[in-house]
Amino acid sequence: MEQRLPNWLKQRAYLTPERKAVIFENETLTFHDLFQKAVDLAAKITSYSISKGDTVGIMLSNHIDTFSVIHAQQQTGAKTLFLNLRLTPSELAWQLQDANAKLLIADAESLGKLKEIQNECPELTCISLSELIDSPKSAFEPEEEFSLDSICSLMYTSGTTGRPKGVKQTYGNHWWSASGSSLNLGLSEKDVWGCTVPLFHISGFSILMRSVIYGMPVRLFSKFDVEAINQCLIQGEITILSVVTSMLQRLLADLNDQEYHEQFRCMLLGGGPAPLTVLEQCRDKGIPVFQTYGMTETSSQIVTLAPEDSIRKLGSAGKPLFPCQVKIMKDQEDAPPNVEGEIVVKGPNVTHGYLNRDDANKESFHNGWFKTGDIGYLDEDGFVYVLDRRSDLIISGGENIYPAEIENVLLSHPDVSDAGVKGMDDPQWGEVPHAFVVSNQDLTEHELLDYCRRNLAKYKLPKKIHFVNELPRNASNKLLRRQLPGLISEVK
Ligand code: ATP
Ligand code: MG
């Protein structure tokens, strides 16, 4: 039977109207204020002939108005297509067409892209955020209930391994994601979740959803301002912060001898592999890092390391959240502990499928389980270790080599500022790892290989190190290993 819950923001504004919902620069909105704003904007969105089930794209940076627009969309019952601001106009146009969006709302930062998008999508109505705010209101009544089966958001994967895939995220997916997170991290009335990651990515959007479900304030930042964020953490203004590794490294570098406030209880670190050196630095400084593993398809975290295990299982992404399951598949069978294979997951937060991608749906979903495309293993206590992407695994003379492991070693060298590793064809071994390294120092291949030799087994040593100016990254700043061989012609 279809499960329905009361309209989340309306219910929140009814239950705890005076609680803070979002704090951004000098502005604060309570849940009462946010509901009023969302209903007002929803009536304006409706004036563009948008109704329940339609798709509306948003190209909005982190701002208090973005918060209100996202909630307004939910009030209308329209699906929100979250667009990554760093995509090119033609990539954006492709996603808008694939998702069949009727309306696009863009803020000042993205207005420059609208003309080109409009050329490629003549049927699409494109408006700026200020135009929306100035629009007349149409008659509108907020939804009374949200069906957990309805699609709330469409979000494309980052496109690290291939063309981005449109993920359908239901209200149920978000509900279970938020519930699973709180069952692991706990919930305190003092909690304030810092959001410096983009709202258009699941890492940021899931914070907005937790806020309305938990009744918790979000401290929203427009950009990653290291000093301002460290000040908030030192003064105890944020209790939980979501970060990726590069953010954490910048926070650590700026922190020096200062310490975070005792109310700061969770640095939620996800999005990619975490170098052990960073985790050890945090351990030494007493920073409570919780490694987590998740993806667009799991509507945020699916595996997180619980506080009591953070030191004992350093390097692990943890155990599944309470409503979720994880197993490792090797040769179509469940793999025993400590055997590497594909990470396969199940849970009510996992998407039911991709938009317009029968091929990927057939390939990825089996009997309620989702094949993540990542390789990892479970240890004897059931902790998940994520090794790398299946598509990037290097098989050299029958041995498995994980590019991430070699990259970690290269990155731990003080003169290496960026590194990527890719398997290249080799007549003797089938494939061998080649390293692509950015260094601003006079580092030689010989020196770096010597360093690697001290930290890596012989078969994992890069066969060749290419010094390059920059590594290819996608709009989510993830390394595009498949493009690394193209750099060989421009080696420094
Ligand atoms: P695409 O699916 O289009 O190739 P993507 O997988 O990079 O893009 P996202 O959904 O943004 O798109 O990223 C999820 C992926 O990020 C995971 O599948 C995994 O490969 C990686 N990842 C996330 N958390 C971790 C982690 N803790 N350790 C290692 N890798 C992680
Ligand atoms: Mg993916």
Side-chain angles (χ1 to χ4, degrees), residues 315-488:
S316 164
K319 285 184 176 172
L321 298 185
F322 192 78
C324 308
Q325 302 172 65
V326 174
K327 60 182 182 177
I328 304 293
M329 298 286 288
K330 191 180 167 69
D331 306 328
Q332 328 281 346
E333 305 263 337
D334 289 11
N338 296 315
V339 170
E340 294 156 9
E342 181 163 10
I343 303 174
V344 179
V345 299
K346 186 176 186 177
N349 53 325
V350 178
T351 180
H352 300 187
Y354 300 113
L355 263 184
N356 310 325
R357 287 295 298 266
D358 287 345
D359 58 330
N361 285 336
K362 276 206 195 89
E363 151 85 30
S364 304
F365 297 89
H366 291 276
N367 300 328
W369 290 85
F370 169 67
K371 294 164 74 185
T372 62
D374 291 318
I375 304 228
Y377 65 92
L378 292 170
D379 72 5
E380 51 292 338
D381 300 324
F383 285 81
V384 179
Y385 289 76
V386 184
L387 294 170
D388 220 317
R389 310 259 183 178
R390 191 185 53 199
S391 56
D392 293 338
L393 175 69
I394 303 170
I395 302 178
S396 189
E399 297 277 7
N400 284 356
I401 303 178
Y402 298 97
E405 187 187 357
I406 306 175
E407 287 162 4
N408 271 341
V409 170
L410 292 166
L411 286 167
S412 68
H413 189 286
D415 294 341
V416 170
S417 51
D418 206 356
V421 169
K422 171 92 181 97
M424 306 286 274
D425 291 342
D426 182 85
Q428 189 180 0
W429 304 105
E431 270 189 310
V432 286
H434 277 214
F436 297 78
V437 168
V438 181
S439 170
N440 299 325
Q441 309 295 320
D442 286 332
L443 186 63
T444 65
E445 181 172 7
H446 185 75
E447 281 166 348
L448 193 50
L449 277 175
D450 257 356
Y451 179 78
C452 289
R453 231 169 253 127
R454 277 178 258 142
N455 296 287
L456 287 171
K458 198 167 170 215
Y459 70 94
K460 299 178 190 168
L461 284 180
K463 191 86 178 190
K464 175 98 197 102
I465 295 182
H466 308 275
F467 286 97
V468 297
N469 291 325
E470 203 184 3
L471 298 184
R473 292 190 176 270
N474 64 20
S476 302
N477 209 30
K478 293 196 182 188
L479 177 65
L480 292 172
R481 292 196 186 116
R482 62 201 152 95
Q483 291 183 9
L484 289 172
L487 297 182
I488 291 179

Side-chain angles (χ1 to χ4, degrees), residues 62 116 122 258 281 283 424 447 449:
N62 281 13
E116 244 178 280
Q258 302 171 92
Q281 246 180 302
R283 181 193 55 194
M424 306 286 274
E447 281 166 348
L449 277 175

Side-chain angles (χ1 to χ4, degrees), residues 146-168:
F146 288 176
S147 159
L148 293 192
D149 295 333
S150 301
I151 296 174
C152 164
S153 43
L154 300 170
M155 205 175 263
Y156 282 76
T157 60
S158 299
T160 310
T161 51
R163 172 163 250 196
K165 298 184 282 277
V167 177
K168 297 186 262 185

Side-chain angles (χ1 to χ4, degrees), residues 110-131:
S110 297
L111 286 185
K113 293 180 180 169
L114 280 193
K115 204 160 162 230
E116 244 178 280
I117 292 173
Q118 187 79 78
N119 283 345
E120 290 194 41
C121 311
E123 306 283 304
L124 180 73
T125 306
C126 297
I127 57 168
S128 68
L129 181 58
S130 47
E131 254 173 291

Side-chain angles (χ1 to χ4, degrees), residues 158-318:
S158 299
T160 310
T161 51
R163 172 163 250 196
K165 298 184 282 277
V167 177
K168 297 186 262 185
Q169 298 164 340
T170 62
Y171 281 94
N173 293 150
H174 294 301
W175 169 260
W176 282 106
S177 170
S179 308
S181 174
S182 67
L183 289 172
N184 180 44
L185 299 181
L187 202 55
S188 148
E189 26 178 59
K190 294 195 186 109
D191 275 339
V192 177
W193 204 305
C195 180
T196 65
V197 286
L199 284 171
F200 61 70
H201 190 263
I202 190 58
S203 52
F205 179 47
S206 60
I207 300 175
L208 178 147
M209 292 305 239
R210 290 180 201 118
S211 143
V212 67
I213 294 170
Y214 305 166
M216 169 191 73
V218 175
R219 179 78 179 248
L220 181 67
F221 293 84
S222 59
K223 59 178 185 336
F224 191 75
D225 180 342
V226 179
E227 284 170 27
I229 294 161
N230 260 343
Q231 276 315 306
C232 285
L233 300 180
I234 291 166
Q235 283 159 18
E237 290 168 20
I238 289 175
T239 61
I240 305 178
L241 183 69
S242 301
V243 289
V244 296
T245 301
S246 59
M247 293 175 173
L248 182 52
Q249 283 168 318
R250 290 173 60 196
L251 289 172
L252 284 170
D254 176 74
L255 190 60
N256 296 319
D257 294 335
Q258 302 171 92
E259 280 180 15
Y260 290 149
H261 197 279
E262 58 182 23
Q263 277 192 13
F264 177 62
R265 66 184 190 91
C266 169
M267 184 76 88
L268 191 64
L269 172 66
L276 277 179
T277 45
V278 175
L279 297 176
E280 282 163 358
Q281 246 180 302
C282 289
R283 181 193 55 194
D284 297 345
K285 285 188 185 253
I287 300 174
V289 173
F290 294 60
Q291 264 232 78
T292 179
Y293 166 69
M295 60 211 78
T296 317
E297 292 91 333
T298 59
S299 319
S300 180
Q301 311 159 55
I302 186 140
V303 171
T304 301
L305 198 58
E308 59 268 40
D309 301 312
S310 55
I311 304 289
R312 192 167 65 95
K313 297 288 181 179
L314 205 67
S316 164

